[in-house]
Amino acid sequence: MADAVFLALSVITIGSAIAALELRSLIYGSIALMGTLGGIAGLFLLLDSPFVAMFQIAVYVGSIAVLILFTVMLVKRELIFKKIEDKRRKFAGIGLMLVLMVGLGSVILDSGIKSITTDEPAVDFRDIGADFLTYYWPALILMALILAGSVTGALVLARREDVGNEQRAN
Amino acid sequence: MSVIAPKFKFSEFVKSILDNLFWFLLIFALIGVPLVQIILFYVEMPVINGELLTPFLALTWLADPSRTLPILKAFMTTDLFRIAAFPGFGFAALLAAGTIFVERKMLAKLQLRVGPFYCGKIEGILQLMGDGLKLLSKEIIIPAKADKPIFWAAPVIFVGAAAAFVALIPVAPGWVVADVDVGLLAVFAVIGFFPIITILSAWSANSKFPFIGGIRALHQMVSFEIPLILSLLGVVILTGTLNLSEIAASQSAFPWIVFLPVGAIVFFITILAELERIPFDLPEAESEIVAGWLTEFSGMMYGLVQLGTYLKLYAFAALFVVLFLGGWNGPMIWPPFPEEIITKGIEAGPITVQIPGLPLFSQETLNGIVWFVIKTVGVIFFILLPRGVFPRIRIDMLLSLGWYKLIGMAFINIFIALGLLYAGVLGPGGML
């Protein structure tokens, strides 16, 4: 059962990733991207980590995909994309991807992943939270600073100089 | 001679009925019965009273309640019953239908109108059924330049997402379709689907009004999702769990609205915005953009979107009840099941019927359902009420409300919860 689900999820993930790259229509491409991200969420569910899976859906499918859709719908396509059709580039890209995959795969296979026993209980998300607040607190502070910085930067970028104060909402 | 059917003959009327009956029986005997038998061959039957259930005795069950009840009880433990009937779709759709009726009548009374009146004789109680039949029989019109696959899929996915939301709501102790450990996060994940469906359906209609409505809906939903999530964190901090059943069970002494009223207010306002209800109904502003992102939907596609909307309304109200009002907790008001029916059976004159396995639900479950329904109906009433009172607000006011005031209030709520937790008043290991 788990094998069949894994195979189906892999097919969905990889297939919709290819579709997201290859489809001519940008809207359908972003829908396919949602399929990829949802498939990854399904893989997380299969790995007994529903916490990560739910965040994957809430953040990536729920927010990032909406952002992409929003951008695609509001911006005229000709303004942001220049079509470059080139066989050599395509094959070079595929080759680069294969090299990367083989390299990463050999590293992962060498890292002792085969010796992991799979019947251990799943990690509780409360433990993850506790670890973040105790041992890994510098990482948490760093992430908070980066997020605060990006939000501030976005606010500065979004501020319009040509709108007077009397035109703003109270 | 009647004017409506001048060539009416009673003999031909009887003949047509008999004809229809003959063909129905013939087709049912030749195709229906073998089909049912083939299907039953693959369905796994439960074992009741030590013997395998025989579906070919269906007519016997109908006549004998002492045989029907154990089958019903076995059916009630299946997942299908949970998904389709009780804590899931059927229950939610029933409450949603009641909501639609109450909304129309109450709004009419508030505006000094009559509302639905003729359909069904008593205060137009069958109006919803009539509307449903009308929508079912209407033609589905697809705009010529619409993106057909997305346009067809959007209402179905909308109802699906709303049903997934309903599936996460615990109605009574142990009565929930999907009891996931990270239930609240799953709720956030499901809520995240609604803006996508809205904007995709709006775009696929290839028309200006739906697109404007869809963009407005997207703005509104995305900006109100943040205060929605933040306002619920206070409850999670105090209970220390994300499981909705455990959150509901933790409020047996007092509901969280006593200590987190700010969070409850923020959550209620965000509910109104997420449901696109007045005063936040900009995506469907009928005086500006026809019907917003629903403009191009016709027939049962529109009906499906409406069904999904009201399922969503029920689910949000139920979520408010579970998180802030104590869920199914309440004083015992349901009378206990009479003992003599279990021990002696029902006596009706000379006949005594012994029915095994009679209390289908336990007393606690029924009491929980009653309290849950009372609270949910109350919350739904308060969601409906602004529609008769408030005007629609501008979109810039809406966005500034969402981004400045509600997020600020949600943070105040989180600080209240943290203060209560660190003062040792509430939470795991607290005084109360």
Side-chain angles (χ1 to χ4, degrees):
Chain A
M1 181 64 192
D3 285 346
V5 174
F6 175 74
L7 271 178
L9 281 174
S10 313
V11 168
I12 289 172
T13 310
I14 297 170
S16 52
I18 293 171
L21 286 175
E22 289 294 324
L23 277 177
R24 277 278 160 267
S25 156
L26 280 176
I27 300 282
Y28 278 89
S30 38
I31 294 173
L33 185 68
M34 270 180 238
T36 311
L37 299 168
I40 292 171
L43 289 176
F44 276 124
L45 273 182
L46 210 60
L47 289 170
D48 273 349
S49 40
F51 188 73
V52 190
M54 287 306 147
F55 261 105
Q56 172 85 19
I57 293 177
V59 174
Y60 282 93
V61 183
S63 311
I64 306 278
V66 166
L67 202 68
I68 292 171
L69 272 178
F70 209 14
T71 320
V72 166
M73 282 175 190
L74 284 187
V75 181
K76 280 196 175 157
R77 190 165 32 162
E78 301 84 51
L79 294 180
I80 46 170
F81 292 107
K82 203 187 273 180
K83 233 183 262 177
I84 301 175
E85 294 268 333
D86 195 343
K87 276 268 160 62
R88 275 166 56 207
R89 278 168 194 266
K90 195 171 180 177
F91 287 122
I94 292 173
L96 195 64
M97 184 202 70
L98 283 178
V99 169
L100 264 178
M101 276 177 69
V102 169
L104 279 177
S106 58
V107 169
I108 290 170
L109 284 180
D110 267 0
S111 67
I113 199 168
K114 284 177 184 167
S115 60
I116 291 177
T117 49
T118 51
D119 52 350
E120 282 181 24
V123 179
D124 193 8
F125 57 86
R126 292 178 189 85
D127 296 345
I128 301 174
D131 273 356
F132 255 125
L133 286 176
T134 53
Y135 188 75
Y136 294 104
W137 66 267
L140 190 69
I141 300 284
L142 197 65
M143 280 196 287
L145 281 178
I146 290 172
L147 274 177
S150 54
V151 168
T152 318
L155 286 179
V156 170
L157 282 178
R159 190 182 169 79
R160 283 173 62 183
E161 297 296 334
D162 56 329
V163 179
N165 264 334
E166 69 278 1
Q167 279 173 280
R168 293 185 198 281
N170 40 16
Chain B
M1 198 67 122
S2 94
V3 187
I4 300 167
K7 289 184 180 168
F8 180 79
K9 265 189 183 171
F10 186 70
S11 59
E12 292 194 358
F13 175 67
V14 172
K15 180 176 168 290
S16 71
I17 286 182
L18 288 178
D19 268 8
N20 281 337
L21 199 67
F22 170 75
W23 284 111
F24 174 77
L25 283 178
L26 191 73
I27 292 172
F28 183 71
L30 288 182
I31 299 170
V33 172
L35 202 68
V36 166
Q37 290 186 345
I38 290 169
I39 290 171
L40 282 176
F41 189 75
Y42 288 102
V43 176
E44 211 167 296
M45 287 292 160
V47 177
I48 287 160
N49 292 341
E51 55 183 290
L52 197 66
L53 188 67
T54 327
F56 303 108
L57 297 176
L59 291 175
T60 322
W61 306 337
L62 288 181
D64 186 358
S66 65
R67 289 190 191 217
T68 317
L69 277 176
I71 295 164
L72 198 66
K73 217 167 175 182
F75 178 61
M76 272 166 51
T77 58
T78 56
D79 280 341
L80 181 70
F81 179 79
R82 291 189 174 225
I83 293 166
F86 171 49
F89 197 79
F91 179 67
L94 204 66
L95 272 176
T99 305
I100 294 172
F101 177 70
V102 170
E103 178 178 18
R104 297 180 74 164
K105 283 308 272 193
M106 189 182 77
L107 203 65
K109 302 279 185 223
L110 283 174
Q111 296 168 343
L112 302 181
R113 291 185 285 119
V114 181
F117 193 65
Y118 296 105
C119 211
K121 301 288 182 199
I122 313 158
E123 292 290 313
I125 200 151
L126 293 180
Q127 184 67 45
L128 181 68
M129 201 188 280
D131 283 348
L133 280 176
K134 181 195 78 177
L135 285 177
L136 268 177
S137 58
K138 271 199 161 184
E139 183 190 2
I140 291 176
I141 301 166
I142 309 279
K145 287 188 177 171
D147 192 295
K148 288 192 183 56
I150 301 179
F151 194 77
W152 272 105
V156 181
I157 302 175
F158 190 78
V159 176
F165 190 2
V166 167
L168 294 164
I169 303 293
V171 173
W175 283 96
V176 50
V177 179
D179 194 14
V180 273
D181 207 20
V182 288
L184 202 57
L185 277 182
V187 168
F188 296 153
V190 172
I191 291 172
F193 276 102
F194 290 112
I196 304 175
I197 301 163
T198 311
I199 190 69
L200 278 178
S201 79
W203 173 82
S204 67
N206 202 357
S207 165
K208 286 286 182 278
F209 290 129
F211 191 63
I212 295 170
I215 293 284
R216 284 183 180 187
L218 187 60
H219 270 113
Q220 182 170 320
M221 288 181 183
V222 168
S223 53
F224 275 75
E225 236 168 69
I226 300 161
L228 189 147
I229 293 174
L230 288 177
S231 67
L232 300 184
L233 286 187
V235 177
V236 178
I237 288 170
L238 289 183
T239 48
T241 176
L242 288 167
N243 187 321
L244 290 175
S245 302
E246 285 176 24
I247 289 176
S250 72
Q251 306 172 58
S252 55
F254 50 85
W256 289 124
I257 195 170
V258 176
F259 288 96
L260 303 171
V262 183
I265 292 167
V266 173
F267 183 52
F268 187 77
I269 296 173
T270 53
I271 286 177
L272 289 182
E274 289 277 326
L275 291 170
E276 302 166 8
R277 297 198 75 83
I278 289 174
F280 305 116
D281 70 329
L282 294 131
E284 296 169 26
E286 68 277 351
S287 53
E288 305 165 21
I289 47 173
V290 191
W293 63 281
L294 307 172
T295 304
E296 297 290 349
F297 286 126
S298 56
M300 204 50 211
M301 291 172 87
Y302 179 76
L304 278 181
V305 174
Q306 284 298 324
L307 174 68
T309 310
Y310 280 93
L311 283 181
K312 209 173 130 187
L313 191 149
Y314 157 73
F316 267 115
L319 191 67
F320 188 90
V321 169
V322 166
L323 289 165
F324 288 107
L325 293 182
W328 59 75
N329 289 303
M332 186 66 82
I333 55 168
W334 192 270
F337 196 76
E339 279 290 320
E340 63 268 17
I341 287 185
I342 306 170
T343 51
K344 289 183 196 162
I346 302 170
E347 285 180 28
I351 311 163
T352 307
V353 187
Q354 184 87 21
I355 301 171
L358 228 196
L360 290 175
F361 292 96
S362 67
Q363 192 190 359
E364 284 77 26
T365 308
L366 285 170
N367 191 50
I369 294 167
V370 167
W371 276 109
F372 182 86
V373 170
I374 288 173
K375 290 172 183 174
T376 310
V377 167
V379 174
I380 288 176
F381 176 77
F382 277 104
I383 294 174
L384 300 183
L385 200 57
R387 195 171 164 187
V389 183
F390 289 119
R392 185 181 308 130
I393 67 170
R394 281 202 323 266
I395 192 152
D396 56 333
M397 291 161 77
L398 173 103
L399 292 179
S400 78
L401 174 75
W403 283 99
Y404 297 138
K405 294 173 188 140
L406 289 185
I407 290 185
M409 280 171 76
F411 272 110
I412 290 172
N413 177 57
I414 291 177
F415 290 135
I416 291 172
L418 282 175
L420 288 169
L421 183 72
Y422 282 116
V425 182
L426 294 172
M431 285 192 296
L432 294 174

